[in-house]
Amino acid sequence: LEENAYEGYLEQQLYDQFEDLFINGDGKLLDFELLSNQPINTILLDCLMYKDDVLHAKALELLERTFTQRTRLLNAIKDVILLHRAPYYAQLNAEIGYLVYLLRSTEVWGISSKISGDFDQVKKKECFDMCDRVISYLNEPSIPVDISDGKSKMIILNNNDTSSSSKGRFIPHFNNTSLRDTVAPNTKSGGGLSEMNPLMEGRESVNDDAAGEDELRTPVHEHQDVLRAMNLQLALTKALAIDYNLVFKGSICTPEDKIESRNIHIQVMRRVVDMLTDFVAGNEKNQEIIFLTSISDLRRHLGDLIKPISSDEEFLSKDSIYAQQLITQPGLNTEQVIIECLRGNLRLCSEEIPRVLFEEFGQLLNDEPDVSTSRLLEFFNITILPDKKFDSLFRNQESTLDVMLSPKFNEIRQCIEGCFYLNHQSVPSQPQHMINTLSACIMNQNGITSSRLQANGYSIDATILALSKCLDHIEMNQSHHGASIIKKITINYIEATAGGGSGGSGGHRRRGSNHHHQHNGVNAVEGDGVHNLTKKDGFFSDEYISSRRALEKLLLTSGHFTSLVLFLSHQLRSLVIDPRLFRNDHIWRVLTDGVGYLISGFANDIKEIKEGVSATSVSLSAEDIQETQERILLSIPLIIPCLRIIHDFVSGAQRMSAEDAMLPHFSALKGKPQKVPGSIFSSLLKIRKVIDHSDISMKTNQSKKLLSESPKIIVSVRKLQYLLEPSSQAKDEEDVEITLNKFNEQQDKKLKKIDVREDDDEPTPAKYLSYFVEALTHNTKIQEKLLSRRFDFLILLESAEEKTKKDFTDNDDDDNDNNNDDDEGLFGGVGKGLGDAVNTLGNAVNTIGDTLDNAVHTVAHNVIGNIGCFNNGDYKFPEPEYGVKITWSMIVDRLVDFALAHNFDPKDEKDIMRVHNVFQNHILKARSDNSKVLDTSEMNPKQIIKYREYQSNLDNKGVTKMALQAIATHTPGLRGTAAVSAIELLQELLYSGNLQVQDSVLHYIEHVDKDSRFLKHIRSRLQESTRIVKERGEQISSGYVEMTRDQILEYEEAEQTLNLLSEMMEGHNFKLQNIIRSQPLQSADVDLLKMVHDLLDFQASQPHFLTRLSTSSVGLLISTLEFIVESMQGPCHGNQMSLQSNEATMAALKNILQSKFNKRMDDFTVMKIKSKAILVIAASLEGRKDLIIHEYLSNHLELPILNKFSSDATDFIKVLNAPNIKTDFNNNTIEDSKESEDVKRRLIDEACMQGLVALTNIRTEMNLIPKFAAAERQLLTDGQNKKYDKSNKDGKKDGKESKRSSSSHRRIKMDKDTKMMKSTVASVEVLWNERVEFVSFPLPLETEYLSSGSKSLFLEKVDLSTHEKRMKELISRAPVFMAEMQQIYTLS
């Protein structure tokens, strides 16, 4: 903007222009009361009180809209799509309109009869061409150019292909096939971990530059939004109602014309389905629009086409030539639309899927010729896990398993039995797809579905037996090169070891014993001779290595085997292992010869890619590299489950004293690389060598994915490595710590060189629009106006009694004649005048278009045109009588009744959220000054009393129970739901520690919510918080990365969860402190405290997590620490013990206290974080009669750490009190005035004073431990004996004194810090619970200003004869002292 573009302050100018839209011109005319010349708001207040819930909901909605127009405008601006070529999009909009006409008139141009005439081939071609162009526009970037014929200005890239775009075109995840077409096996990868696997991402292209047509055909999100703005969804949803058999319902035409007409309508509908699929793919708004409005039509078209019912002789016989031309396959493929609507949409999958839809898809799946190859399985996978960011959906897991195990779906059951080699069923062609669906049913430790499968014969034993048979099958079909050498090695190895160990019997011993315990190496046969394959005689033979690699590759690409391994890993998460399994030879054979080969294959693959040569030292060709990268992509999600399986069985065998069962397989498990090249232990070392802190290239999808998963892989590898060889852990941890420190230092140096500013390219118009939206959104004056309008709405509701009386008293005299026994409202009504006014509202709405121009008419239509109860001429409003009394209390009761009655109705969720917002704003108004919301520290006592009265009054009306019920019954993890608004309301009800509301929460948890649904909802939110923190930790493991907007929102939601729990315990509510740890009245405990300790561990377990902390994630760390403090203070002895039981918490606290953080964090924030950590330690010691925690801290908390905090805090106070400081830590100017001292005092109190007080309490408590007290005394003694000798006035020092000078200065500083602490913190002894407690508190700054004269005068006159007299006189003189100190402080 030019300098003189605006006069005055830009923020004020933006506000003035924004506000002018609503108070002048057309915006002012949109006021309902001006439009109708009636008291509309009063009418709506009366409508709120009627028993008709629809009327109540619509009245509340319209009232809210009246007072939230500014908010809606801001939200609408955020959704604006800036079109850079308006004429082109105008033409596109016109074409969409014409397409709507063509789709709605198919029964005219798509039918040939004596009445309607012949087919209109022109319109048919136009319809098909436009459908194809829309499909192409959705999938590819468009180029607007002029066309000579002027009919269309939309040309699509690759336009030569548009004629066939709806026939076999690419739909994401469907590979150019109809959904119900079968899938050909993937010959390259064996289909091992294809996109059908619900646990993996879709198959990625190995080379970004070589991305195939699949990625080019992905719908463009911006184009989807543009077409939604043009209302394409209306045309598509209406087209689903087309009856393709319409011509058979009375049209007079030839059989050929009937068949042709039916085919035309089917082709149109197939194009519509194609457009729908691309329209919703990956677009959450479009998904919800289509699914919620058209699910019944989509379900109606599931499956094959329906044959028409015709009485014509030509179609009665099935063998007639005409009847045979009535196609039924393939269907319209609406299954594909449903799946794309659900893909990635957690809300739809968790709340909107009808149960019958599972049955319908199950029937379609059962009718498939080969169940295992059907794409219909993807429906079940997506409904269970729509988004990998969240946990699987329990309800959908059960619904899917109901279908899989249903006796009426015989083909599905036979397919599952074939996957596990049960009941002599043949193995299906693609068993991995069915097994992956079963894995989805039991993932995330779903014990119920796992137990159901186990009861139906799919137990851990059955899975292991199936893996063993699958391994036999792979060996039997292996090429002679891979089989003969391995078998010769096995046979000769058994003979060489003289049968050492019980390796099994029969066929299972062929390869089950080839790794027996033996120290002389592995023997192999070549011809008739035996030679040693260890490095005593040289390297391993190339023939052996090649044979082993061939088997590894075969197993990695075996879809059946790898899917069974994944299924087994999920079973082990939720089922108990039968101890007998540890002595079963099948399991050890599967572990060593199967799972072990998968691990070694992965290790060899990543090693070959890194070194560029094969295991036999041959350079890899381009084709070899391509195949290896594809295998790595497939095996990355498989490696961690493999490691967990090995770990579970080895650790289980050790616990059950079954190590002797492992002895025959010792070499395969723990063999050294020089002895056994493919042992599991050697593979672990190889994996770590390749990816542990290595610089992996980021040029391919394979390397990107490997880098993102490497931290998880390394953790699992190290865990198994330490189990197999415990002696390696100590040295390894030392090496890892050194490596990590060097690695972090290098990354921090790189970080300093990074320029995080945006590029200097010229901003685009879209960028300018984003700047404008941001300026409006963050305009403080606009925010204040939005807040005041919300409160205006509440004032209207709260003053309902006065409002109704004022607006209708004047009508009393005029309407006396009409005051008869008309229909009464809920409370008698407000009179016939009110009824007339209500009826007038519909007329006022209808006259908007005559009063305003077209643009305003559109706005008015969007604002009030859809409020059905007011613009529906058939709706009859009751005409109540006079004498009604509408009060705020009555409105509250009505709102609560409505919310409770409709809590379980998804369609009423928005109305329930509206009720929540009303109550929340009502309480917020009590702690605001109409410009901002105040904290409790900013409120005076009268405001606090009034605020708590508001909270208690709502609690008495049942608002707390209403909020708790909404939280307990709605799905967590979704934004913009009733659960979120209820949490915000409950947080406001609990704010400042309202004891009455806390008691209501406790009563609900203990006596109403028997299934702990409320606590389980909070647990789910904490699990989601832990997930995002873990992901963030992995993201910054190799260097600092800015947080995305989604990450910031997720962190804010996690912070909200912790703040809610803290408010529940505010004021040391002992019962609620215990309830978050255990619920003795419930069937099972939900330990939220343990989860928060784990959350702290993930935030601060590693020093580099703190040095790379983002300013947007600081709030969550502070909230975590505050929660732990609130859980312990009071004290709550049970929660205090959690510090001892969660050792990682202590390590996290020490990391926080010692961390230097980063320059992104200002000193104020750093001190605040460290003070919270000190408060956690102090809270754990508070009021304990035993010394358990004291002893624990004396062994884990070093005294220098406490001294370091004391030094940092005193330095902070000195810096802040320095006379030259001009700004606070938010870069706000601090003027030299009394206000500046208040700002400084606030910063000191908030940042470190609580920490210094807590530190004093810690030292007092810890001195009860002789070990700690002795260490502190020794430190003080050293400081006194080694002070710098100031007697040497000439400044000359000998060598020893010079060396001691630096340490002496440090001790002098420590003495000064101690003196400053004593001047800022004081302590007293208090008799509490029959015990003398030592309590510390911060000294006010005014204490320094008590004059010596006042002290002397008091000492001269005070009666010192008894302690009681001294105290009474001191108390009586205290107000005088305080007034004097305050006066001198103010004047200084």
Side-chain angles (χ1 to χ4, degrees):
L1 296 175
E2 296 181 3
E3 184 176 356
N4 298 324
Y6 287 95
E7 295 181 3
Y9 191 38
L10 179 59
E11 183 180 42
Q12 182 66 42
Q13 294 295 321
L14 282 173
Y15 168 74
D16 291 340
Q17 293 191 20
F18 177 79
E19 189 64 17
D20 187 66
L21 297 173
F22 300 94
I23 62 177
N24 293 314
D26 294 340
K28 185 177 181 180
L29 293 177
L30 281 175
D31 184 270
F32 290 155
E33 299 198 344
L34 290 177
L35 284 171
S36 63
N37 196 26
Q38 294 285 344
I40 301 299
N41 291 339
T42 310
I43 295 170
L44 295 174
L45 285 175
D46 184 70
C47 292
L48 283 177
M49 306 310 298
Y50 285 92
K51 292 182 179 179
D52 187 332
D53 284 348
V54 176
L55 176 61
H56 170 85
K58 295 301 182 181
L60 181 62
E61 180 181 359
L62 192 53
L63 270 174
E64 186 198 50
R65 287 191 176 209
T66 303
F67 291 92
T68 58
Q69 291 302 303
R70 292 164 178 80
T71 302
R72 291 177 180 275
L73 177 59
L74 282 179
N75 293 335
I77 291 175
K78 296 176 184 177
D79 292 333
V80 169
I81 302 172
L82 194 62
L83 303 179
H84 60 284
R85 300 203 180 190
Y88 160 64
Y89 286 101
Q91 179 66 28
L92 174 60
N93 194 23
E95 290 196 13
I96 296 297
Y98 188 56
L99 177 60
V100 172
Y101 160 73
L102 292 175
L103 291 175
R104 287 181 172 180
S105 60
T106 54
E107 67 274 12
V108 177
W109 58 262
I111 291 179
S112 175
S113 69
K114 293 181 179 180
I115 298 175
S116 62
D118 201 0
F119 296 109
D120 192 334
Q121 298 295 336
V122 174
K123 285 187 170 56
K124 172 186 171 183
K125 184 178 186 303
E126 287 178 341
C127 181
F128 288 1
D129 289 347
M130 285 186 181
C131 290
D132 291 342
R133 285 201 297 270
V134 170
I135 291 170
S136 298
Y137 172 75
L138 279 166
N139 283 280
E140 295 176 347
S142 57
I143 303 176
V145 296
D146 291 331
I147 304 297
S148 57
D149 59 9
K151 291 183 178 179
S152 174
K153 296 184 180 297
M154 181 168 60
I155 286 293
I156 310 300
L157 294 178
N158 300 332
N159 196 44
N160 293 333
D161 297 333
T162 58
S163 60
S164 60
S165 62
S166 63
K167 299 178 182 179
R169 62 184 183 78
F170 172 72
I171 299 298
H173 307 283
F174 286 90
N175 291 344
N176 298 322
T177 63
S178 173
L179 181 61
R180 302 192 65 210
D181 292 341
T182 56
V183 183
N186 189 328
T187 56
K188 213 170 198 180
S189 64
L193 299 172
S194 69
E195 67 268 14
M196 284 298 298
N197 190 344
L199 316 177
M200 321 293 171
E201 295 180 4
R203 182 80 177 273
E204 299 181 43
S205 174
V206 176
N207 189 332
D208 291 345
D209 297 331
E213 185 183 355
D214 291 0
E215 294 182 343
L216 295 177
R217 301 292 297 181
T218 302
V220 180
H221 194 281
E222 180 184 358
H223 293 182
Q224 293 172 322
D225 291 341
V226 169
L227 292 177
R228 183 181 69 247
M230 294 178 179
N231 212 14
L232 175 65
Q233 63 272 17
L234 178 62
L236 299 180
T237 53
K238 293 295 183 183
L240 288 175
I242 293 175
D243 184 358
Y244 50 80
N245 289 323
L246 179 63
V247 72
F248 291 88
K249 298 179 180 180
S251 296
I252 303 174
C253 57
T254 65
E256 291 83 358
D257 288 341
K258 289 186 177 182
I259 294 173
E260 175 65 18
S261 177
R262 183 175 185 267
N263 290 339
I264 290 174
H265 282 79
I266 291 173
Q267 292 176 40
V268 169
M269 293 198 69
R270 282 180 176 158
R271 280 167 167 79
V272 169
V273 169
D274 286 347
M275 284 190 288
L276 275 172
T277 304
D278 285 351
F279 182 70
V280 302
N283 191 303
E284 187 173 343
K285 289 184 178 180
N286 294 357
Q287 288 171 336
E288 295 187 359
I289 289 173
I290 298 301
F291 191 86
L292 296 177
T293 59
S294 305
I295 184 60
S296 58
D297 288 329
L298 293 171
R299 287 172 53 199
R300 181 163 51 86
H301 292 300
L302 289 175
D304 295 339
L305 298 173
I306 300 174
K307 278 191 175 184
I309 300 175
S310 176
S311 59
D312 297 342
E313 295 181 0
E314 295 87 350
F315 297 97
L316 290 178
S317 175
K318 296 182 179 179
D319 298 329
S320 70
I321 187 173
Y322 296 113
Q324 292 177 2
Q325 294 182 47
L326 296 176
I327 61 172
T328 58
Q329 292 183 342
L332 296 180
N333 212 13
T334 55
E335 302 94 336
Q336 184 171 310
V337 180
I338 293 175
I339 288 176
E340 287 302 324
C341 283
L342 299 175
R343 191 189 303 278
N345 196 310
L346 181 63
R347 192 180 84 82
L348 291 181
C349 289
S350 60
E351 297 183 356
E352 303 294 344
I353 302 178
R355 178 66 179 83
V356 68
L357 195 60
F358 287 91
E359 294 291 330
E360 291 171 346
F361 268 83
Q363 186 62 59
L364 293 173
L365 180 62
N366 191 69
D367 294 339
E368 292 286 286
D370 187 345
V371 173
S372 70
T373 61
S374 174
R375 292 288 182 175
L376 291 167
L377 285 170
E378 192 170 22
F379 166 80
F380 300 101
N381 298 337
I382 289 175
T383 56
I384 292 173
L385 192 66
D387 191 335
K388 284 176 289 184
K389 293 181 180 179
F390 303 99
D391 290 338
S392 56
L393 300 176
F394 178 83
R395 181 175 68 92
N396 294 348
Q397 285 178 311
E398 287 198 322
S399 298
T400 298
L401 197 59
D402 289 341
V403 172
M404 298 295 117
L405 300 180
S406 175
K408 67 180 181 180
F409 299 140
N410 187 54
E411 295 297 327
I412 296 177
R413 294 204 59 157
Q414 289 182 4
C415 178
I416 297 175
E417 290 173 354
C419 294
F420 288 83
Y421 301 94
L422 299 177
N423 297 336
H424 307 288
Q425 296 291 339
S426 59
V427 179
S429 58
Q430 295 288 307
Q432 67 271 14
H433 296 158
M434 179 57 73
I435 297 174
N436 288 334
T437 302
L438 294 179
S439 294
C441 290
I442 65 173
M443 68 188 308
N444 292 120
Q445 304 180 27
N446 191 326
I448 295 178
T449 52
S450 300
S451 299
R452 285 182 61 189
L453 279 173
Q454 182 172 250
N456 280 271
Y458 306 104
S459 60
I460 294 178
D461 307 55
T463 306
I464 292 171
L465 185 60
L467 280 166
S468 181
K469 291 182 178 180
C470 186
L471 196 57
D472 286 340
H473 182 73
I474 292 172
E475 290 177 356
M476 290 174 61
N477 290 280
Q478 189 185 9
S479 63
H480 70 280
H481 179 75
S484 59
I485 295 298
I486 296 293
K487 288 180 180 178
K488 289 179 181 178
I489 293 172
T490 302
I491 295 170
N492 220 327
Y493 186 30
I494 294 173
E495 294 174 353
T497 55
S502 56
S505 61
H508 296 305
R509 189 166 180 170
R510 287 197 311 269
R511 297 191 62 252
S513 304
N514 67 325
H515 296 309
H516 286 220
H517 183 57
Q518 198 236 26
H519 297 287
N520 297 323
V522 180
N523 295 320
V525 174
E526 286 191 0
D528 297 325
V530 178
H531 74 280
N532 191 281
L533 289 178
T534 63
K535 289 192 176 182
K536 293 179 179 179
D537 296 331
F539 295 100
F540 300 104
S541 71
D542 290 345
E543 190 175 7
Y544 169 76
I545 294 174
S546 298
S547 301
R548 184 180 180 89
R549 285 292 288 142
L551 188 56
E552 290 172 351
K553 295 175 183 178
L554 199 59
L555 285 172
L556 282 171
T557 55
S558 169
H560 194 184
F561 187 81
T562 54
S563 61
L564 283 170
V565 169
L566 287 172
F567 183 73
L568 176 62
S569 70
H570 287 296
Q571 285 183 306
L572 296 177
R573 299 294 94 189
S574 53
L575 296 176
V576 178
I577 304 176
D578 187 343
R580 292 174 296 179
L581 275 179
F582 297 120
R583 299 187 180 277
N584 187 328
D585 188 61
H586 286 301
I587 182 58
W588 295 110
R589 174 173 180 262
V590 167
L591 293 181
T592 56
D593 296 0
V595 180
Y597 269 57
L598 294 177
I599 297 173
S600 63
F602 173 78
N604 287 323
D605 279 342
I606 60 176
K607 183 175 182 292
E608 289 179 2
I609 286 294
K610 182 178 181 181
E611 297 177 354
V613 295
S614 67
T616 55
S617 301
V618 177
S619 297
L620 297 177
S621 64
E623 184 178 354
D624 292 335
I625 294 175
Q626 178 85 2
E627 291 181 357
T628 305
Q629 288 177 340
E630 288 181 353
R631 276 199 310 277
I632 292 175
L633 274 177
L634 295 173
S635 55
I636 285 174
L638 180 67
I639 184 64
I640 293 179
C642 288
L643 295 169
R644 286 176 178 170
I645 290 172
I646 300 290
H647 185 277
D648 288 348
F649 277 101
V650 172
S651 60
Q654 293 175 353
R655 289 195 308 269
M656 297 296 175
S657 302
E659 292 94 334
D660 56 319
M662 293 191 297
L663 288 179
H665 310 276
F666 179 86
S667 296
L669 289 170
K670 305 182 182 181
K672 302 299 182 183
Q674 297 83 358
K675 300 275 187 179
V676 184
S679 70
I680 293 174
F681 186 79
S682 64
S683 298
L684 300 180
L685 297 179
K686 193 179 297 183
I687 293 173
R688 290 196 57 179
K689 184 177 180 181
V690 175
I691 65 175
D692 196 358
H693 311 302
S694 63
D695 185 15
I696 302 174
S697 171
M698 295 291 292
K699 295 182 180 180
T700 64
N701 287 333
Q702 163 262 328
S703 55
K704 291 178 185 177
K705 190 169 183 179
L706 179 59
L707 183 62
S708 65
E709 296 293 325
S710 60
K712 300 177 186 178
I713 295 174
I714 288 300
V715 169
S716 299
V717 166
R718 290 173 60 187
K719 188 176 180 181
L720 180 56
Q721 178 187 341
Y722 301 153
L723 178 66
L724 295 177
E725 189 176 347
S727 61
S728 66
Q729 182 170 0
K731 182 180 183 304
D732 185 58
E733 288 182 345
E734 181 180 351
D735 294 342
V736 168
E737 184 176 358
I738 295 173
T739 305
L740 270 177
N741 291 335
K742 293 181 178 178
F743 181 73
N744 293 334
E745 290 176 4
Q746 294 173 357
Q747 293 298 326
D748 290 336
K749 289 179 181 178
K750 293 179 181 179
L751 180 62
K752 295 178 181 178
K753 299 178 182 179
I754 296 176
D755 186 2
V756 297
R757 296 175 300 175
E758 296 182 2
D759 54 41
D760 296 329
D761 295 339
E762 183 69 20
T764 63
K767 198 69 175 177
Y768 278 126
L769 177 63
S770 68
Y771 294 155
F772 173 70
V773 172
E774 186 176 358
L776 285 178
T777 305
H778 294 89
N779 188 297
T780 55
K781 292 184 176 295
I782 292 178
Q783 293 299 321
E784 291 174 3
K785 186 63 178 181
L786 298 180
L787 183 65
S788 68
R789 289 296 290 170
R790 287 160 57 191
F791 292 159
D792 289 343
F793 178 31
L794 266 299
I795 291 172
L796 173 67
L797 296 177
E798 293 167 358
S799 60
E801 183 175 6
E802 179 183 352
K803 181 71 175 173
T804 53
K805 180 179 179 181
K806 176 181 177 182
D807 285 340
F808 292 102
T809 302
D810 295 339
N811 294 331
D812 193 13
D813 296 335
D814 299 334
D815 296 326
N816 280 336
D817 296 337
N818 297 322
N819 189 13
N820 49 33
D821 297 329
D822 292 331
D823 293 337
E824 293 187 356
L826 181 61
F827 302 100
V830 189
K832 185 172 177 56
L834 178 57
D836 293 337
V838 174
N839 293 328
T840 305
L841 178 59
N843 298 328
V845 172
N846 293 330
T847 59
I848 292 178
D850 300 330
T851 308
L852 307 176
D853 58 27
N854 293 333
V856 178
H857 178 273
T858 303
V859 175
H861 176 77
N862 290 335
V863 171
I864 59 177
N866 295 323
I867 308 299
C869 66
F870 295 113
N871 60 11
N872 185 350
D874 297 331
Y875 191 92
K876 299 299 182 183
F877 286 95
E879 297 181 357
E881 292 184 351
Y882 288 109
V884 70
K885 182 179 180 181
I886 300 177
T887 65
W888 166 244
S889 177
M890 295 162 62
I891 292 175
V892 171
D893 290 335
R894 183 67 181 96
L895 293 174
V896 171
D897 290 342
F898 175 84
L900 291 175
H902 295 267
N903 182 65
F904 297 95
D905 297 335
K907 61 182 178 61
D908 296 323
E909 186 169 19
K910 295 294 183 183
D911 297 320
I912 295 174
M913 294 171 61
R914 210 167 277 116
V915 173
H916 295 164
N917 293 336
V918 167
F919 293 140
Q920 182 189 3
N921 291 330
H922 170 69
I923 308 174
L924 278 174
K925 189 168 69 68
R927 64 176 180 104
S928 70
D929 59 1
N930 293 326
S931 61
K932 68 173 183 176
V933 177
L934 306 175
D935 293 329
T936 50
S937 59
E938 300 173 305
M939 299 165 64
N940 58 47
K942 290 184 178 180
Q943 286 178 312
I944 293 178
I945 293 174
K946 178 183 176 183
Y947 177 69
R948 288 182 174 169
E949 285 179 356
Y950 274 50
Q951 293 173 317
S952 300
N953 290 338
L954 289 185
D955 179 69
N956 292 333
K957 293 288 186 178
V959 174
T960 304
K961 179 181 178 181
M962 177 199 71
L964 289 166
Q965 182 171 315
I967 297 170
T969 55
H970 284 80
T971 304
L974 300 174
R975 297 173 189 166
T977 63
V980 175
S981 61
I983 285 176
E984 293 172 352
L985 170 59
L986 183 60
Q987 209 169 338
E988 198 61 39
L989 285 165
L990 290 164
Y991 187 73
S992 77
N994 190 302
L995 183 59
Q996 178 179 325
V997 179
Q998 290 176 340
D999 289 342
S1000 297
V1001 173
L1002 179 64
H1003 180 269
Y1004 182 86
I1005 293 174
E1006 290 186 333
H1007 302 289
V1008 179
D1009 188 17
K1010 293 297 185 181
D1011 296 328
S1012 300
R1013 291 180 297 175
F1014 169 72
L1015 293 177
K1016 288 177 180 177
H1017 182 105
I1018 301 299
R1019 180 181 64 185
S1020 297
R1021 288 177 65 97
L1022 286 176
Q1023 289 172 342
E1024 175 62 13
S1025 303
T1026 303
R1027 181 194 65 78
I1028 64 157
V1029 170
K1030 289 170 65 176
E1031 286 185 356
R1032 176 63 179 169
E1034 295 166 4
Q1035 185 183 30
I1036 61 174
S1037 60
S1038 57
Y1040 177 75
V1041 180
E1042 286 288 347
M1043 295 180 69
T1044 64
R1045 179 59 185 164
D1046 284 342
Q1047 286 178 317
I1048 293 174
L1049 291 175
E1050 289 173 337
Y1051 264 75
E1052 290 174 354
E1053 291 166 0
E1055 188 178 345
Q1056 181 188 57
T1057 305
L1058 292 171
N1059 290 340
L1060 172 63
L1061 293 173
S1062 297
E1063 294 294 343
M1064 286 171 54
M1065 301 179 292
E1066 180 74 25
H1068 312 157
N1069 193 307
F1070 181 73
K1071 292 182 179 179
L1072 282 173
Q1073 285 176 322
N1074 282 312
I1075 213 75
I1076 64 167
R1077 185 185 72 256
S1078 63
Q1079 303 82 43
L1081 299 181
Q1082 310 296 345
S1083 57
D1085 284 340
V1086 179
D1087 192 348
L1088 302 180
L1089 182 61
K1090 174 66 167 61
M1091 296 183 68
V1092 177
H1093 278 281
D1094 294 340
L1095 183 62
L1096 177 62
D1097 178 30
F1098 287 118
Q1099 292 180 86
S1101 59
Q1102 298 294 334
H1104 68 272
F1105 288 174
L1106 297 171
T1107 57
R1108 296 169 189 157
L1109 197 66
S1110 168
T1111 54
S1112 302
S1113 58
V1114 169
L1116 179 58
L1117 178 58
I1118 293 176
S1119 295
T1120 306
L1121 295 169
E1122 288 177 341
F1123 167 86
I1124 298 176
V1125 171
E1126 286 292 343
S1127 70
M1128 294 179 178
Q1129 283 182 337
C1132 179
H1133 298 305
N1135 290 350
Q1136 287 175 333
M1137 294 302 296
S1138 65
L1139 184 66
Q1140 182 185 26
S1141 58
N1142 296 278
E1143 295 186 1
T1145 300
M1146 194 67 239
L1149 294 174
K1150 290 164 65 175
N1151 286 339
I1152 292 172
L1153 292 172
Q1154 297 179 90
S1155 176
K1156 296 181 179 179
F1157 289 86
N1158 192 282
K1159 292 183 178 179
R1160 289 183 298 276
M1161 303 292 112
D1162 56 60
D1163 293 341
F1164 169 75
T1165 303
V1166 171
M1167 283 309 307
K1168 187 174 182 179
I1169 296 173
K1170 292 187 175 183
S1171 292
K1172 297 298 181 184
I1174 286 289
L1175 280 170
V1176 172
I1177 299 173
S1180 68
L1181 297 168
E1182 183 180 307
R1184 293 198 66 85
K1185 296 182 180 180
D1186 57 45
L1187 299 179
I1188 297 176
I1189 301 297
H1190 297 67
E1191 292 285 357
Y1192 174 78
L1193 291 176
S1194 68
N1195 295 324
H1196 293 83
L1197 181 63
E1198 294 80 8
L1199 186 59
I1201 295 178
L1202 299 179
N1203 292 335
K1204 178 67 167 57
F1205 172 78
S1206 175
S1207 177
D1208 292 343
T1210 53
D1211 287 345
F1212 176 82
I1213 296 174
K1214 291 176 184 177
V1215 170
L1216 201 59
N1217 286 328
N1220 59 347
I1221 185 170
K1222 296 297 181 183
T1223 61
D1224 64 13
F1225 294 99
N1226 292 321
N1227 292 323
N1228 298 319
T1229 302
I1230 300 178
E1231 302 293 342
D1232 293 329
S1233 64
K1234 175 65 172 62
E1235 285 74 17
S1236 67
E1237 293 298 326
D1238 292 338
V1239 171
K1240 292 179 181 179
R1241 175 186 294 193
R1242 178 180 59 79
L1243 292 174
I1244 291 173
D1245 289 345
E1246 189 175 350
C1248 61
M1249 192 56 68
Q1250 289 183 339
L1252 288 175
V1253 171
L1255 180 61
T1256 304
N1257 290 333
I1258 291 171
R1259 283 175 166 161
T1260 303
E1261 291 289 337
M1262 291 302 296
N1263 278 325
L1264 298 174
I1265 304 300
K1267 175 183 175 181
F1268 186 92
E1272 190 167 30
R1273 284 195 303 269
Q1274 183 64 39
L1275 187 62
L1276 292 173
T1277 303
D1278 292 344
Q1280 292 292 333
N1281 293 337
K1282 297 183 180 180
K1283 284 185 178 179
Y1284 177 66
D1285 186 6
K1286 295 183 179 180
S1287 62
N1288 191 355
K1289 296 181 180 181
D1290 59 0
K1292 295 181 180 180
K1293 300 180 282 293
D1294 59 21
K1296 293 183 180 179
E1297 288 175 336
S1298 178
K1299 292 179 181 179
R1300 293 203 311 264
S1301 62
S1302 60
S1303 60
S1304 299
H1305 280 298
R1306 286 196 298 271
R1307 288 177 175 81
I1308 292 172
K1309 183 181 183 307
M1310 186 178 69
D1311 291 341
K1312 292 181 178 179
D1313 293 341
T1314 303
K1315 291 179 181 178
M1316 176 172 279
M1317 276 195 62
K1318 291 181 179 179
S1319 67
T1320 55
V1321 179
S1323 302
V1324 295
E1325 292 180 346
V1326 178
L1327 183 62
W1328 181 62
N1329 287 343
E1330 300 180 356
R1331 180 183 174 189
V1332 175
E1333 294 287 348
F1334 196 75
V1335 179
S1336 301
F1337 57 92
L1339 288 172
L1341 298 179
E1342 294 89 337
T1343 55
E1344 300 178 7
Y1345 296 91
L1346 181 62
S1347 63
S1348 57
S1350 297
K1351 296 178 185 177
S1352 301
L1353 182 63
F1354 175 76
L1355 291 175
E1356 290 175 3
K1357 295 185 176 181
V1358 68
D1359 186 353
L1360 302 177
S1361 59
T1362 64
H1363 174 74
E1364 183 178 357
K1365 290 182 178 180
R1366 291 198 303 268
M1367 292 301 298
K1368 285 183 177 180
E1369 291 201 33
L1370 178 60
I1371 292 173
S1372 65
R1373 292 286 298 173
V1376 179
F1377 292 157
M1378 293 170 63
E1380 176 186 339
M1381 290 185 291
Q1382 182 66 42
Q1383 179 67 16
I1384 298 175
Y1385 168 75
T1386 303
L1387 296 175
S1388 62

